[in-house]
């Protein structure tokens, strides 16, 4: 039981909310245009969660190798950093999670090939391979892109655009150009979760040479950047609604504005370890935003 508890902690379940939220939004946007392919939706969700698990385990391994996780770490103790899991064990777990993600991804493409066609299936497989690489290379590779400040861009791309638009495409076999705005909106909130993490770890990352956005901009600049992320999401969602107005239901996401404002106030008021609880709150708020945004479009389609 202790071993199971240890690995459960290592996969960082509170971050898996983001993987779920992007898929949920994509399915809801697709449902506004037609019936849901439930088997494909379930496999999409499983693949997304496995990719997030891969990323979290690879991050545990990579930060221990590159020095960002040491005895001075501010956030929760990591499995390798604490000595409870050896690097070889963690690397084996990374490889296992990658293998599971690949198997799930292949099953997903097979499930959707009748809807999307073989050429598109090849493209989806290529995107899946890129997602596996991105999950590993964030901190696990010899030259991790997370250490040069590109983590936010990759989170925006894969959690936002790829997750939402890819999920919708797997459901319908086509793209709705306007879906790019809700996808980008959610991508900004996913980046905000990473930014909370990076603001918390600012001092340690600076000492380790990990050039995250807050390290590059400083604490004040990192908080201003956070405001841009939190404000940008509802702005893009509102733009999408106004460009294709159907019903007031499309404004349902506005119920999350007080939560977003509260998160910004708390980020402005906290430093270091005090920021840690905001990771979960930001992820859950991103989920609420995704659900209300998607449900709003679904209800508007039936209005």
């Amino acid at each position: 039981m202790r071993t199971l508890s240890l690995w459960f902690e290592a996969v960082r379940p509170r971050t898996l909310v983001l993987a779920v939220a992007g898929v949920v939004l994509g399915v809801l946007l697709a449902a506004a245009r037609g019936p849901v392919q439930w088997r494909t939706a379930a496999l999409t969700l499983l693949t997304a969660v496995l990719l997030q698990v891969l990323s979290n385990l690879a991050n545990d391994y990579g930060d221990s190798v590159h020095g960002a996780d040491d005895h001075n770490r501010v956030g929760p103790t990591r499995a390798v950093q604490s000595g409870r899991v050896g690097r070889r064990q963690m690397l084996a777990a990374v490889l296992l999670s990658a293998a599971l993600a690949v198997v799930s991804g292949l099953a997903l493409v097979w499930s959707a090939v009748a809807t999307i066609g073989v050429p598109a299936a090849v493209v989806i497989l290529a995107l899946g391979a890129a997602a596996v690489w991105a999950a590993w290379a964030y901190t696990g590779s010899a030259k991790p892109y997370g250490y040069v400040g590109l983590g936010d861009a990759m989170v925006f791309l894969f959690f936002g655009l790829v997750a939402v638009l890819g999920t919708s495409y797997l459901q319908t076999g086509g793209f709705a150009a306007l879906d790019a705005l809700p996808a980008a909106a959610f991508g900004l909130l996913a980046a905000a979760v990473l930014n909370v993490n990076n603001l918390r770890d600012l001092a340690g990352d600076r000492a380790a040479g990990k050039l995250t956005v807050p390290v590059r901009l400083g604490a004040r600049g990192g908080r201003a950047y956070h405001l841009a992320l939190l404000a940008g999401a509802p702005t893009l969602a509102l733009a999408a609604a106004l460009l294709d107005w159907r019903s007031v239901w499309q404004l349902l996401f506005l119920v999350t504005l007080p939560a977003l404002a509260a998160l910004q106030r708390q980020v402005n008021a906290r430093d270091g370890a005090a920021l840690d609880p905001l990771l979960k709150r930001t992820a859950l708020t991103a989920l609420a935003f995704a659900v209300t945004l998607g449900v709003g479009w679904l209800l508007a389609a039936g209005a």
Side-chain angles (χ1 to χ4, degrees):
M1 292 300 296
R2 285 196 299 269
T3 300
L4 288 175
S5 177
L6 169 60
W7 285 106
F8 182 77
E9 179 184 339
V11 302
R12 307 179 202 176
R14 63 182 177 176
T15 68
L16 302 183
V17 171
L18 289 179
V20 173
V23 172
V24 168
L25 177 55
V27 169
L28 287 170
L29 291 174
R33 301 195 296 275
V36 174
Q37 311 295 327
W38 290 109
R39 182 174 64 176
T40 298
L43 286 169
T44 306
L45 183 61
L46 176 61
T47 303
V49 169
L50 287 171
L51 285 169
Q52 181 63 53
V53 169
L54 166 61
S55 179
N56 289 344
L57 295 178
N59 180 241
D60 198 314
Y61 172 82
D63 274 345
S64 73
V65 170
H66 297 291
D69 283 352
D70 58 19
H71 64 282
N72 293 317
R73 176 178 172 79
V74 173
T77 302
R78 297 297 180 219
V80 176
Q81 170 219 0
S82 66
R84 293 174 295 170
V85 174
R87 285 183 183 172
R88 286 188 178 183
Q89 287 177 293
M90 184 57 73
L91 184 57
V94 169
L95 294 174
L96 175 60
S97 61
L100 292 173
V102 168
V103 170
S104 179
L106 290 172
L108 167 60
V109 172
W110 180 260
S111 171
V113 70
T115 300
I116 66 177
V118 174
V122 173
V123 175
I124 294 294
L125 286 173
L127 283 173
V132 171
W133 170 84
W136 162 253
Y138 172 56
T139 60
S141 64
K143 295 183 178 180
Y145 64 81
Y147 279 67
V148 294
L150 295 178
D152 299 64
M154 298 297 275
V155 164
F156 173 80
L157 174 63
F158 282 100
F159 281 87
L161 301 182
V162 172
V164 178
L165 296 180
T167 297
S168 179
Y169 185 81
L170 287 165
Q171 288 288 317
T172 65
F175 284 113
L178 202 61
D179 285 356
L181 290 176
F186 180 72
L188 292 179
L189 293 184
V193 175
L194 177 60
N195 193 56
V196 172
N197 180 86
N198 291 340
L199 282 167
R200 181 198 67 195
D201 295 343
L202 176 58
D205 286 345
R206 182 183 286 128
K210 187 176 182 180
L211 302 178
T212 62
V213 171
V215 170
R216 290 183 180 275
L217 299 181
R220 184 175 181 180
R223 290 187 174 93
Y225 167 66
H226 199 75
L227 175 60
L229 294 174
L230 295 186
T235 300
L236 290 178
L238 180 60
L242 295 177
L243 287 170
D244 186 19
W245 182 257
R246 301 179 188 183
S247 163
V248 71
W249 283 116
Q250 289 167 280
L251 301 181
L252 184 61
F253 69 91
L254 293 177
V255 301
T256 64
L257 287 184
L260 292 171
L263 287 171
Q264 183 63 39
R265 289 195 299 270
Q266 291 165 349
V267 164
N268 289 341
R270 302 185 186 192
D271 289 298
L275 285 164
D276 191 62
L278 299 187
L279 277 169
K280 181 178 179 180
R281 294 177 200 171
T282 307
L284 290 174
T285 302
L287 173 62
F289 179 88
V291 170
T292 54
L293 178 57
V295 168
W297 278 82
L298 180 60
L299 292 174

